[in-house]
Structures are given as C-alpha cells and as structure tokens.
Coordinates of all heavy atoms in Angstrom, one line a residue:
M1 N 73.4 97.6 168.5 CA 73.0 97.7 167.1 C 73.2 99.2 166.7 O 72.9 100.1 167.4 CB 71.6 97.4 167.0 CG 71.1 97.2 165.6 SD 71.7 95.8 164.7 CE 70.9 94.5 165.7
K2 N 73.9 99.4 165.5 CA 74.1 100.7 165.0 C 73.5 100.8 163.6 O 73.5 99.8 162.8 CB 75.6 100.9 164.8 CG 76.2 101.8 165.9 CD 77.6 102.1 165.5 CE 77.8 103.5 165.9 NZ 79.0 104.0 166.2
T3 N 72.9 101.9 163.3 CA 72.4 102.2 162.0 C 73.3 103.1 161.2 O 73.7 104.1 161.7 CB 71.0 102.8 162.0 OG1 70.1 102.0 162.8 CG2 70.4 103.0 160.7
L4 N 73.7 102.7 160.0 CA 74.6 103.4 159.2 C 73.8 104.0 158.0 O 73.0 103.4 157.4 CB 75.7 102.6 158.6 CG 76.7 101.9 159.6 CD1 77.6 101.0 158.8 CD2 77.4 103.0 160.4
F5 N 74.1 105.3 157.7 CA 73.6 106.0 156.5 C 74.6 105.8 155.4 O 75.8 106.2 155.6 CB 73.3 107.4 156.8 CG 72.9 108.2 155.6 CD1 71.6 108.2 155.2 CD2 73.9 108.9 154.8 CE1 71.2 109.0 154.0 CE2 73.5 109.6 153.7 CZ 72.2 109.6 153.3
V6 N 74.2 105.2 154.3 CA 75.2 105.0 153.2 C 74.6 105.9 152.0 O 73.5 105.6 151.5 CB 75.2 103.5 152.8 CG1 76.2 103.3 151.6 CG2 75.6 102.6 153.9
G7 N 75.4 106.9 151.6 CA 75.0 107.8 150.6 C 75.8 107.7 149.4 O 76.9 107.0 149.3
N8 N 75.4 108.4 148.3 CA 76.0 108.5 147.0 C 76.0 107.1 146.3 O 77.0 106.7 145.7 CB 77.5 109.0 147.2 CG 78.0 109.7 145.9 OD1 77.2 110.1 145.1 ND2 79.3 109.7 145.8
L9 N 74.9 106.4 146.4 CA 74.8 105.1 145.7 C 74.3 105.4 144.3 O 73.5 106.3 144.0 CB 73.8 104.2 146.4 CG 74.2 103.7 147.8 CD1 73.0 103.0 148.4 CD2 75.4 102.9 147.7
A10 N 74.7 104.5 143.3 CA 74.3 104.6 142.0 C 72.8 104.1 141.9 O 72.4 103.3 142.6 CB 75.2 103.7 141.1
P11 N 72.1 104.7 140.9 CA 70.7 104.2 140.8 C 70.5 102.7 140.5 O 69.5 102.2 140.8 CB 70.1 105.1 139.6 CG 71.1 106.2 139.5 CD 72.4 105.8 140.0
E12 N 71.5 102.1 139.9 CA 71.4 100.7 139.5 C 71.8 99.7 140.7 O 71.7 98.5 140.5 CB 72.4 100.4 138.4 CG 72.0 101.1 137.1 CD 72.5 102.6 137.1 OE1 73.5 102.9 137.8 OE2 71.9 103.4 136.4
T13 N 72.2 100.3 141.8 CA 72.6 99.5 143.0 C 71.4 98.6 143.5 O 70.3 99.0 143.6 CB 73.0 100.4 144.1 OG1 74.1 101.2 143.7 CG2 73.6 99.5 145.3
S14 N 71.7 97.3 143.8 CA 70.7 96.4 144.3 C 71.0 96.1 145.7 O 72.1 96.3 146.2 CB 70.7 95.1 143.5 OG 71.9 94.3 143.7
E15 N 70.0 95.6 146.4 CA 70.1 95.2 147.8 C 71.2 94.1 148.0 O 72.0 94.1 148.9 CB 68.8 94.7 148.4 CG 67.8 95.8 148.7 CD 66.9 96.1 147.5 OE1 67.1 95.5 146.4 OE2 66.0 96.9 147.6
Q16 N 71.2 93.2 147.1 CA 72.2 92.0 147.1 C 73.6 92.5 147.0 O 74.5 92.1 147.8 CB 71.9 91.0 146.0 CG 70.6 90.3 146.2 CD 69.4 91.1 145.6 OE1 69.6 92.1 144.9 NE2 68.2 90.7 146.0
E17 N 73.9 93.5 146.1 CA 75.2 94.0 146.0 C 75.7 94.7 147.2 O 76.8 94.6 147.7 CB 75.3 94.9 144.8 CG 75.1 94.3 143.5 CD 74.9 95.3 142.3 OE1 74.4 96.4 142.6 OE2 75.2 94.9 141.2
L18 N 74.8 95.5 147.8 CA 75.1 96.3 149.0 C 75.3 95.4 150.2 O 76.2 95.6 151.0 CB 74.1 97.4 149.2 CG 74.5 98.5 150.1 CD1 75.7 99.3 149.5 CD2 73.3 99.5 150.2
T19 N 74.5 94.4 150.3 CA 74.6 93.4 151.4 C 75.9 92.7 151.3 O 76.6 92.5 152.3 CB 73.4 92.4 151.4 OG1 72.2 93.2 151.6 CG2 73.5 91.4 152.5
A20 N 76.3 92.3 150.1 CA 77.5 91.6 149.9 C 78.7 92.4 150.3 O 79.7 92.0 150.8 CB 77.6 91.1 148.5
L21 N 78.7 93.7 149.9 CA 79.8 94.6 150.2 C 80.0 94.8 151.7 O 81.1 94.7 152.3 CB 79.5 96.0 149.6 CG 80.5 97.1 149.8 CD1 81.8 96.7 149.1 CD2 80.0 98.4 149.3
F22 N 78.9 94.9 152.5 CA 79.0 95.1 153.9 C 79.1 93.8 154.7 O 79.6 93.8 155.8 CB 77.7 95.9 154.5 CG 77.9 97.4 154.3 CD1 77.5 97.9 153.0 CD2 78.3 98.2 155.3 CE1 77.7 99.3 152.8 CE2 78.5 99.5 155.1 CZ 78.2 100.1 153.9
A23 N 78.8 92.7 154.1 CA 78.9 91.4 154.8 C 80.3 91.0 155.0 O 80.6 90.1 155.9 CB 78.2 90.3 153.9
E24 N 81.3 91.6 154.3 CA 82.7 91.3 154.6 C 83.1 91.7 156.0 O 84.1 91.2 156.5 CB 83.5 92.1 153.6 CG 83.4 91.7 152.1 CD 84.2 92.6 151.2 OE1 85.2 93.1 151.6 OE2 83.8 92.7 150.0
F25 N 82.3 92.6 156.6 CA 82.7 93.2 157.9 C 81.8 92.6 159.0 O 82.0 93.0 160.2 CB 82.6 94.7 157.9 CG 83.5 95.2 156.8 CD1 83.0 95.6 155.6 CD2 84.9 95.3 157.0 CE1 83.9 96.0 154.6 CE2 85.7 95.8 156.0 CZ 85.2 96.2 154.8
G26 N 80.8 91.9 158.7 CA 79.9 91.3 159.7 C 78.5 91.1 159.1 O 78.3 91.2 157.9
T27 N 77.6 90.7 160.0 CA 76.2 90.4 159.6 C 75.4 91.7 159.4 O 75.3 92.5 160.3 CB 75.5 89.6 160.7 OG1 76.3 88.4 160.9 CG2 74.1 89.1 160.3
V28 N 74.8 91.8 158.3 CA 73.8 92.9 158.0 C 72.5 92.5 158.5 O 71.8 91.5 158.0 CB 73.8 93.2 156.5 CG1 72.7 94.2 156.2 CG2 75.1 93.6 155.9
R29 N 72.1 93.1 159.6 CA 70.8 92.7 160.3 C 69.6 93.2 159.5 O 68.6 92.6 159.5 CB 70.8 93.3 161.7 CG 71.9 92.9 162.6 CD 71.8 91.6 163.1 NE 72.9 91.2 163.9 CZ 73.2 90.0 164.3 NH1 72.4 89.0 164.0 NH2 74.2 89.8 165.1
K30 N 69.7 94.4 158.9 CA 68.6 95.0 158.2 C 69.1 96.0 157.2 O 70.1 96.7 157.4 CB 67.7 95.8 159.2 CG 66.5 96.4 158.7 CD 65.7 97.0 159.8 CE 64.6 98.0 159.3 NZ 64.0 98.7 160.4
L31 N 68.5 96.0 156.0 CA 68.9 97.0 155.0 C 67.6 97.6 154.4 O 66.7 96.9 154.0 CB 69.6 96.2 153.9 CG 70.0 97.1 152.7 CD1 71.5 97.3 152.6 CD2 69.5 96.5 151.4
E32 N 67.6 98.9 154.4 CA 66.5 99.7 153.8 C 67.0 100.5 152.7 O 67.9 101.3 152.9 CB 65.8 100.6 154.8 CG 65.1 99.9 155.9 CD 64.5 100.9 156.9 OE1 64.0 101.9 156.5 OE2 64.5 100.6 158.1
M33 N 66.5 100.3 151.5 CA 67.0 101.1 150.3 C 65.8 101.6 149.6 O 65.1 100.9 148.9 CB 67.8 100.2 149.4 CG 68.4 101.0 148.2 SD 69.2 99.9 147.0 CE 70.6 99.3 147.9
P34 N 65.4 102.9 149.9 CA 64.3 103.5 149.3 C 64.4 103.5 147.7 O 65.5 103.8 147.2 CB 64.3 104.9 149.8 CG 65.1 104.9 151.1 CD 66.1 103.8 150.9
R35 N 63.4 103.3 147.1 CA 63.4 103.2 145.6 C 62.4 104.3 145.0 O 61.4 104.6 145.7 CB 63.0 101.9 145.1 CG 64.0 100.8 145.6 CD 64.0 99.6 144.7 NE 65.1 98.7 144.9 CZ 66.2 98.8 144.3 NH1 66.4 99.7 143.3 NH2 67.2 98.0 144.6
D36 N 62.7 104.7 143.9 CA 61.8 105.7 143.2 C 60.5 104.9 142.8 O 60.5 103.8 142.4 CB 62.5 106.2 141.9 CG 61.6 107.2 141.2 OD1 61.4 108.3 141.7 OD2 61.2 106.9 140.0
V37 N 59.4 105.6 143.0 CA 58.1 105.0 142.8 C 57.9 104.6 141.3 O 57.4 103.5 141.0 CB 57.0 106.0 143.2 CG1 55.6 105.4 142.9 CG2 57.1 106.3 144.7
F38 N 58.3 105.5 140.4 CA 58.0 105.2 139.0 C 59.1 104.4 138.3 O 58.7 103.5 137.6 CB 57.9 106.6 138.3 CG 56.8 107.4 138.8 CD1 57.1 108.5 139.6 CD2 55.5 107.1 138.6 CE1 56.0 109.3 140.1 CE2 54.4 107.8 139.1 CZ 54.7 108.9 139.9
S39 N 60.4 104.6 138.5 CA 61.4 103.9 137.8 C 61.8 102.6 138.6 O 62.4 101.7 138.0 CB 62.6 104.8 137.6 OG 63.3 105.1 138.8
G40 N 61.6 102.6 139.9 CA 62.1 101.4 140.7 C 63.6 101.4 141.0 O 64.1 100.5 141.6
K41 N 64.3 102.5 140.6 CA 65.7 102.6 140.9 C 66.0 103.1 142.3 O 65.2 103.8 142.9 CB 66.4 103.5 139.8 CG 66.3 102.9 138.4 CD 67.0 103.8 137.5 CE 67.0 103.1 136.1 NZ 67.8 103.9 135.1
C42 N 67.2 102.8 142.8 CA 67.6 103.3 144.1 C 67.6 104.9 144.1 O 68.0 105.5 143.1 CB 69.0 102.8 144.3 SG 69.8 103.4 145.8
R43 N 67.2 105.4 145.2 CA 67.2 106.9 145.3 C 68.5 107.5 145.8 O 68.6 108.7 146.0 CB 66.1 107.3 146.3 CG 64.7 107.0 145.7 CD 63.6 107.4 146.6 NE 63.7 108.8 147.0 CZ 63.1 109.3 148.1 NH1 62.4 108.6 148.9 NH2 63.2 110.6 148.3
G44 N 69.6 106.7 145.9 CA 70.9 107.2 146.2 C 71.4 107.0 147.6 O 72.5 107.4 147.9
F45 N 70.6 106.4 148.4 CA 71.0 106.1 149.8 C 70.4 104.9 150.4 O 69.4 104.4 149.8 CB 70.7 107.3 150.7 CG 69.3 107.6 151.0 CD1 68.7 107.0 152.1 CD2 68.5 108.3 150.1 CE1 67.3 107.2 152.4 CE2 67.2 108.5 150.4 CZ 66.6 108.0 151.5
A46 N 70.9 104.4 151.5 CA 70.4 103.2 152.1 C 70.7 103.3 153.6 O 71.6 104.1 154.0 CB 71.0 102.0 151.6
L47 N 70.0 102.6 154.4 CA 70.2 102.5 155.9 C 70.5 101.1 156.2 O 69.7 100.2 155.8 CB 68.9 103.0 156.7 CG 68.6 104.4 156.4 CD1 67.2 104.7 157.1 CD2 69.6 105.4 157.0
I48 N 71.6 100.8 156.9 CA 72.0 99.5 157.2 C 72.2 99.3 158.7 O 72.9 100.2 159.3 CB 73.3 99.1 156.5 CG1 73.1 99.2 155.0 CG2 73.9 97.8 156.9 CD1 74.4 98.9 154.2
D49 N 71.6 98.3 159.3 CA 71.8 98.0 160.7 C 72.8 96.8 160.9 O 72.7 95.8 160.2 CB 70.5 97.5 161.3 CG 69.5 98.6 161.5 OD1 69.9 99.8 161.4 OD2 68.3 98.3 161.9
M50 N 73.8 97.1 161.7 CA 74.9 96.1 162.0 C 75.2 96.3 163.5 O 74.9 97.3 164.1 CB 76.1 96.4 161.2 CG 76.0 96.2 159.7 SD 77.5 96.6 158.8 CE 78.4 95.0 159.0
E51 N 75.9 95.3 164.0 CA 76.4 95.4 165.4 C 77.5 96.5 165.5 O 78.1 96.8 164.4 CB 77.1 94.1 165.8 CG 76.1 92.9 166.0 CD 75.1 93.2 167.1 OE1 75.4 93.9 168.1 OE2 73.9 92.8 166.9
G52 N 77.7 97.1 166.6 CA 78.5 98.3 166.8 C 79.9 98.1 166.2 O 80.4 99.0 165.4
H53 N 80.6 97.1 166.7 CA 82.0 97.0 166.2 C 82.1 96.6 164.8 O 83.1 97.1 164.1 CB 82.7 95.9 167.1 CG 82.2 94.5 167.0 ND1 81.0 94.2 167.6 CD2 82.6 93.5 166.3 CE1 80.8 92.9 167.3 NE2 81.7 92.4 166.5
E54 N 81.2 95.9 164.2 CA 81.1 95.6 162.8 C 80.8 96.8 162.0 O 81.5 97.1 160.9 CB 80.1 94.5 162.5 CG 80.4 93.2 163.2 CD 79.2 92.2 163.1 OE1 78.1 92.6 162.7 OE2 79.4 91.0 163.4
A55 N 79.9 97.7 162.5 CA 79.6 98.9 161.8 C 80.8 99.9 161.8 O 81.0 100.5 160.7 CB 78.4 99.6 162.5
R56 N 81.5 99.9 162.9 CA 82.7 100.8 162.9 C 83.8 100.3 161.9 O 84.4 101.1 161.2 CB 83.2 100.9 164.3 CG 82.4 101.8 165.2 CD 83.1 102.0 166.6 NE 83.1 100.8 167.4 CZ 82.1 100.4 168.2 NH1 81.0 101.0 168.2 NH2 82.3 99.3 168.9
A57 N 83.9 99.0 161.8 CA 84.9 98.5 160.9 C 84.5 98.7 159.5 O 85.3 99.1 158.6 CB 85.1 97.0 161.1
A58 N 83.2 98.6 159.2 CA 82.7 98.8 157.8 C 82.9 100.3 157.4 O 83.3 100.6 156.3 CB 81.3 98.4 157.7
T59 N 82.6 101.2 158.4 CA 82.7 102.6 158.1 C 84.1 103.0 157.8 O 84.4 103.7 156.9 CB 82.2 103.4 159.3 OG1 80.8 103.1 159.5 CG2 82.3 104.9 159.1
A60 N 85.0 102.5 158.6 CA 86.5 102.8 158.5 C 87.0 102.3 157.1 O 87.8 103.0 156.5 CB 87.3 102.2 159.6
A61 N 86.5 101.1 156.7 CA 87.1 100.6 155.5 C 86.4 101.1 154.2 O 87.0 101.2 153.1 CB 86.9 99.0 155.5
L62 N 85.1 101.4 154.3 CA 84.3 101.7 153.1 C 84.0 103.2 152.8 O 83.7 103.6 151.7 CB 83.0 100.9 153.1 CG 83.1 99.4 153.1 CD1 81.7 98.8 153.2 CD2 83.8 98.9 151.8
D63 N 84.2 104.0 153.8 CA 83.9 105.5 153.6 C 84.9 106.0 152.6 O 86.1 106.0 152.8 CB 84.0 106.2 155.0 CG 83.5 107.6 154.8 OD1 82.5 107.9 154.1 OD2 84.0 108.5 155.5
G64 N 84.4 106.6 151.5 CA 85.2 107.1 150.5 C 85.6 106.1 149.4 O 86.2 106.5 148.4
K65 N 85.3 104.9 149.6 CA 85.6 103.8 148.6 C 84.7 104.0 147.3 O 83.6 104.3 147.4 CB 85.4 102.4 149.2 CG 85.7 101.3 148.2 CD 85.5 100.0 148.8 CE 85.8 98.9 147.8 NZ 85.6 97.6 148.3
I66 N 85.3 103.8 146.2 CA 84.6 103.9 144.9 C 83.8 102.6 144.8 O 84.3 101.5 144.8 CB 85.6 104.0 143.7 CG1 86.4 105.2 143.9 CG2 84.8 104.1 142.4 CD1 85.7 106.6 143.9
F67 N 82.5 102.8 144.6 CA 81.5 101.6 144.4 C 80.6 102.0 143.3 O 79.8 103.0 143.4 CB 80.8 101.4 145.7 CG 79.8 100.2 145.6 CD1 80.2 98.9 145.5 CD2 78.4 100.5 145.7 CE1 79.3 97.9 145.4 CE2 77.5 99.5 145.7 CZ 77.9 98.2 145.5
Q68 N 80.6 101.3 142.2 CA 79.8 101.5 141.0 C 79.9 102.9 140.5 O 78.9 103.5 140.2 CB 78.3 101.1 141.3 CG 78.1 99.7 141.6 CD 76.7 99.3 141.7 OE1 75.8 100.1 141.8 NE2 76.4 98.0 141.7
G69 N 81.1 103.4 140.5 CA 81.3 104.7 139.9 C 81.2 105.9 140.8 O 81.4 107.1 140.4
G70 N 80.8 105.7 142.0 CA 80.6 106.8 143.0 C 81.4 106.5 144.3 O 81.6 105.4 144.6
S71 N 81.8 107.6 144.9 CA 82.5 107.5 146.2 C 81.5 107.4 147.3 O 80.7 108.3 147.6 CB 83.3 108.7 146.4 OG 84.0 108.7 147.6
L72 N 81.5 106.3 148.1 CA 80.5 106.0 149.2 C 80.7 107.0 150.3 O 81.8 107.4 150.6 CB 80.7 104.6 149.7 CG 80.3 103.5 148.8 CD1 80.6 102.2 149.6 CD2 78.8 103.5 148.4
K73 N 79.6 107.5 150.9 CA 79.6 108.3 152.0 C 78.9 107.6 153.1 O 77.7 107.4 153.0 CB 79.0 109.7 151.7 CG 79.7 110.5 150.7 CD 79.1 111.8 150.5 CE 79.7 112.7 149.4 NZ 81.0 112.4 148.9
I74 N 79.6 107.2 154.2 CA 79.0 106.5 155.3 C 79.1 107.2 156.6 O 80.2 107.7 157.0 CB 79.7 105.1 155.4 CG1 79.7 104.4 154.1 CG2 79.1 104.3 156.5 CD1 80.5 103.1 154.1
R75 N 77.9 107.4 157.2 CA 77.8 108.1 158.5 C 77.0 107.4 159.4 O 76.1 106.6 159.0 CB 77.2 109.5 158.3 CG 77.9 110.4 157.3 CD 79.2 110.9 157.8 NE 79.9 111.7 156.9 CZ 80.9 111.3 156.1 NH1 81.4 110.1 156.2 NH2 81.5 112.1 155.3
D76 N 77.1 107.6 160.7 CA 76.2 107.1 161.7 C 74.8 107.8 161.6 O 74.8 109.0 161.5 CB 76.7 107.3 163.1 CG 77.9 106.4 163.5 OD1 78.1 105.4 162.8 OD2 78.6 106.7 164.4
E77 N 73.8 107.0 161.6 CA 72.5 107.6 161.5 C 72.1 108.1 162.9 O 72.1 107.3 163.8 CB 71.4 106.6 161.0 CG 70.0 107.1 160.9 CD 69.8 108.2 159.9 OE1 70.7 108.4 159.0 OE2 68.8 108.9 160.0
R78 N 71.7 109.3 163.0 CA 71.3 109.9 164.3 C 69.8 110.0 164.3 O 69.2 110.4 163.3 CB 71.9 111.2 164.5 CG 73.4 111.1 164.7 CD 74.0 112.5 164.9 NE 75.5 112.4 165.0 CZ 76.3 112.5 164.0 NH1 75.8 112.7 162.8 NH2 77.6 112.4 164.1
P79 N 69.1 109.6 165.4 CA 67.7 109.8 165.5 C 67.3 111.2 165.4 O 68.0 112.1 165.9 CB 67.3 109.2 166.8 CG 68.6 109.1 167.6 CD 69.7 109.1 166.6
K80 N 66.2 111.5 164.8 CA 65.7 112.9 164.6 C 65.3 113.4 166.0 O 64.7 112.7 166.8 CB 64.5 112.9 163.7 CG 64.8 112.6 162.3 CD 63.6 112.8 161.5 CE 63.9 112.5 160.0 NZ 62.8 112.6 159.1
R81 N 65.7 114.6 166.3 CA 65.4 115.2 167.6 C 64.0 115.7 167.6 O 63.5 116.3 166.6 CB 66.3 116.4 167.8 CG 67.8 116.0 168.0 CD 68.6 117.2 168.4 NE 68.7 118.1 167.3 CZ 69.0 119.4 167.5 NH1 69.4 119.8 168.6 NH2 69.1 120.2 166.4
K82 N 63.3 115.4 168.6 CA 62.0 115.9 168.8 C 62.1 117.1 169.6 O 62.7 117.2 170.6 CB 61.1 114.8 169.5 CG 60.9 113.6 168.7 CD 60.0 112.6 169.4 CE 59.8 111.4 168.6 NZ 59.0 110.4 169.2
G83 N 61.4 118.1 169.1 CA 61.5 119.4 169.8 C 60.6 120.4 169.1 O 59.9 120.1 168.1
R84 N 60.7 121.6 169.5 CA 59.9 122.6 168.9 C 60.6 123.2 167.7 O 61.7 123.4 167.7 CB 59.6 123.7 170.0 CG 58.8 123.1 171.1 CD 58.7 124.1 172.2 NE 58.2 125.4 171.8 CZ 57.8 126.4 172.6 NH1 57.9 126.2 173.8 NH2 57.3 127.5 172.1
G85 N 59.8 123.3 166.7 CA 60.3 123.9 165.4 C 60.2 125.4 165.5 O 59.7 126.0 166.4
R86 N 60.6 126.1 164.4 CA 60.4 127.5 164.3 C 59.0 127.8 164.1 O 58.2 127.1 163.5 CB 61.2 128.0 163.1 CG 62.6 128.3 163.5 CD 63.4 128.8 162.4 NE 62.7 129.7 161.4 CZ 63.3 130.3 160.4 NH1 64.6 130.2 160.3 NH2 62.7 131.0 159.6
R87 N 58.6 129.0 164.6 CA 57.2 129.4 164.5 C 57.2 130.7 163.6 O 58.0 131.4 163.5 CB 56.6 129.7 165.8 CG 56.4 128.4 166.6 CD 55.7 128.7 167.8 NE 55.6 127.5 168.5 CZ 54.5 127.1 169.2 NH1 53.5 127.9 169.2 NH2 54.4 126.0 169.8

C-alpha cells in the first residue's frame, strides 16, 4: 500500500471527482481530503492510498496534468521522522 500526496487542487474539488480520476489506474483504498472549517471547501491537497504498482502508474500519468484549472502535483507521502527537534 502506498500513500500519495496530491497537491494544487482547486477549492471546488470533490472526493467523487478525485476518486474517479485515480480509479482509472486502480482501486482507491482510502481518500482523505481536508476541508476548511468555515467554508467547507477543499484546502488544496489530498492523501490517497492505492496499491504500489497502481500508485506508480497514477503518479506517472497524472503528475503535472491540468485538473480543474490547476496543474496536479503528486508525490509519495513520507512518514514524519521522529527525532529530536532544535532546542
């Protein structure tokens, strides 16, 4: 399972539209799209879980593609490193 970070989304983007876009490359296991508390609009990014080979195919095909007026930015989501911060 791979988690993809999808950035540069339009505020009007819905979960259904994004799922349909990525479903062309495989099964979308999970989709998280944070929304603004007050307006309810998309905050500009989403996290999508897909199988590894499907995620790589989606990244190759969709990174830089124009979607709802913006160029999609798709990257592998890396877990946050736990460690000591600056003091």
Side-chain angles (χ1 to χ4, degrees):
M1 190 73 65
K2 257 189 139 153
T3 302
L4 298 176
F5 173 86
V6 182
N8 204 23
L9 295 173
E12 298 79 28
T13 304
S14 71
E15 287 91 353
Q16 294 82 13
E17 293 168 333
L18 201 56
T19 300
L21 182 67
F22 279 83
E24 296 175 25
F25 303 97
T27 304
V28 176
R29 304 283 182 193
K30 182 177 166 187
L31 177 111
E32 292 179 37
M33 184 184 295
R35 299 203 167 268
D36 183 65
V37 175
F38 300 106
S39 69
K41 293 184 178 182
C42 174
R43 292 182 55 201
F45 68 95
L47 298 171
I48 296 178
D49 286 350
M50 297 178 81
E51 291 298 326
H53 63 284
E54 296 170 347
R56 285 188 291 277
T59 300
L62 297 176
D63 189 35
K65 180 180 178 180
I66 302 297
F67 179 68
Q68 294 187 348
S71 176
L72 292 177
K73 296 188 185 335
I74 303 174
R75 304 286 179 259
D76 288 342
E77 179 65 19
R78 293 180 183 88
K80 291 185 180 179
R81 292 188 293 162
K82 293 183 181 178
R84 296 173 55 170
R86 274 180 33 173
R87 292 185 180 220

